[in-house]
Amino acid sequence: MVHTVLSVDDSPYQRWQADLLAYTHRRVGQSGSLTRLWSSDARPSAFAGNTFRAPPWSPHPVSGDDYAPYNRPSALLAWVRDTPPTDETVLLLDPDCVFVAALTVEATRGEPIAQPLSYLHPDPVLAARHCRITLSGVGVGVPIVIHRDDLCAVAEPWLAKTESIRDDRTSRRLAGWVAEMWGYVFAAAELGLHHRPRALARFPTEDRADLPLIHYCYGAASTDERWSWDKRRYRPWKRVDDPPPTVPRATVALVALINDYASEQGYRTLRTPRARRRPRGC
């Protein structure tokens, strides 16, 4: 069993991504539970999986730093403290991930499996300020397959490292938006977790869809740029025009999933009965 976990706030932008992820989780028959970590004081929206409510961590409750990625390590920390998963294997995803096939993998204690990320090269200045371990190789990130015990151990220092990076002006500039990702890398290194880099997801710019997941953090376009799609401009649940042949296959597979779910949502809307008017006096 693989317990899939994602973190969201209460924005419609992240809600529709989480709903699409849940649809594909069910569609491929992915084993294990699906948990949405809801970082908001607002009432959670409906979701086809479990929802764990966590206090929002952006803006930061002490510093006031408005940095949305705080929510992931803070919500994970609250989750493993309050209702730790019973499954030993945990799959950490971003909301902008979809399943194209079931993922069958087992986590080994002390050896998480993670997506290698070419843009996450260790910065010697950043590492010297926030990590006691010498780093080597390319950085890793979501998707991450991690043993439950390792997740319970890394959650607190992950949040602390992220806060430390964001609190330091130089480090904040060096890390940029991925400060939280570096927080994970540094915390895991100091705990002695040795990652096994493994491609688990394709990106929309890749002309392949042969892995269990697609991580659509990037947009994609046809070679003549007459057709394009990007999550930042998408209005759910509007059908996306069929991509031309020059669009990468990962994007073709993603658009097919979006359109399938959009059709299902439209069907449900059509089938939803209208509320009957209540007689006067009732």
Side-chain angles (χ1 to χ4, degrees), residues 37-141:
L37 307 178
W38 177 270
S39 296
S40 173
D41 293 325
R43 182 179 179 179
S45 61
F47 183 67
N50 306 314
T51 294
F52 177 84
R53 297 184 68 172
W57 220 253
S58 179
H60 193 279
V62 176
S63 68
D65 181 21
D66 189 7
Y67 178 61
Y70 277 133
N71 285 327
R72 177 157 54 184
S74 65
L76 282 168
L77 178 58
W79 181 56
V80 298
R81 282 178 172 175
D82 190 66
T83 55
T86 57
D87 298 316
E88 291 189 350
T89 300
V90 179
L91 171 64
L92 302 181
L93 294 180
D94 283 338
D96 57 350
C97 291
V98 292
F99 286 89
V100 293
L103 176 67
T104 55
V105 65
E106 184 176 348
T108 301
R109 189 180 288 107
E111 296 184 349
I113 301 169
Q115 182 86 12
L117 299 175
S118 58
Y119 60 83
L120 217 62
H121 287 290
D123 185 289
V125 176
L126 185 65
R129 286 173 175 263
H130 301 282
C131 188
R132 299 190 301 270
I133 305 298
T134 301
L135 300 177
S136 61
V138 71
V140 294

Side-chain angles (χ1 to χ4, degrees), residues 87-234:
D87 298 316
E88 291 189 350
T89 300
V90 179
L91 171 64
L92 302 181
L93 294 180
D94 283 338
D96 57 350
C97 291
V98 292
F99 286 89
V100 293
L103 176 67
T104 55
V105 65
E106 184 176 348
T108 301
R109 189 180 288 107
E111 296 184 349
I113 301 169
Q115 182 86 12
L117 299 175
S118 58
Y119 60 83
L120 217 62
H121 287 290
D123 185 289
V125 176
L126 185 65
R129 286 173 175 263
H130 301 282
C131 188
R132 299 190 301 270
I133 305 298
T134 301
L135 300 177
S136 61
V138 71
V140 294
V142 167
I144 299 172
V145 177
I146 188 169
H147 193 279
R148 172 191 59 205
D149 296 347
D150 293 335
L151 178 60
C152 291
V154 78
E156 185 172 5
W158 180 357
L159 176 58
K161 291 288 186 185
T162 303
E163 292 170 330
S164 177
I165 293 170
R166 293 288 298 181
D167 286 343
D168 180 78
R169 183 176 299 179
T170 299
S171 299
R172 181 188 292 204
R173 176 179 55 80
L174 291 172
W177 183 254
V178 295
E180 170 265 331
M181 297 170 68
W182 279 121
Y184 169 79
V185 171
F186 295 155
E190 291 186 0
L191 286 173
L193 301 183
H194 300 284
H195 288 86
R196 291 182 284 164
R198 174 177 165 186
L200 299 171
R202 291 296 179 195
F203 297 104
T205 52
E206 295 184 271
D207 197 27
R208 303 171 68 179
D210 55 350
L211 293 176
L213 295 151
I214 294 174
H215 189 183
Y216 55 96
C217 49
Y218 308 125
S222 59
T223 53
D224 59 8
E225 297 187 352
R226 293 184 179 181
W227 184 99
S228 65
W229 186 88
D230 192 290
K231 66 176 183 177
R232 298 158 190 85
R233 298 191 301 269
Y234 178 63

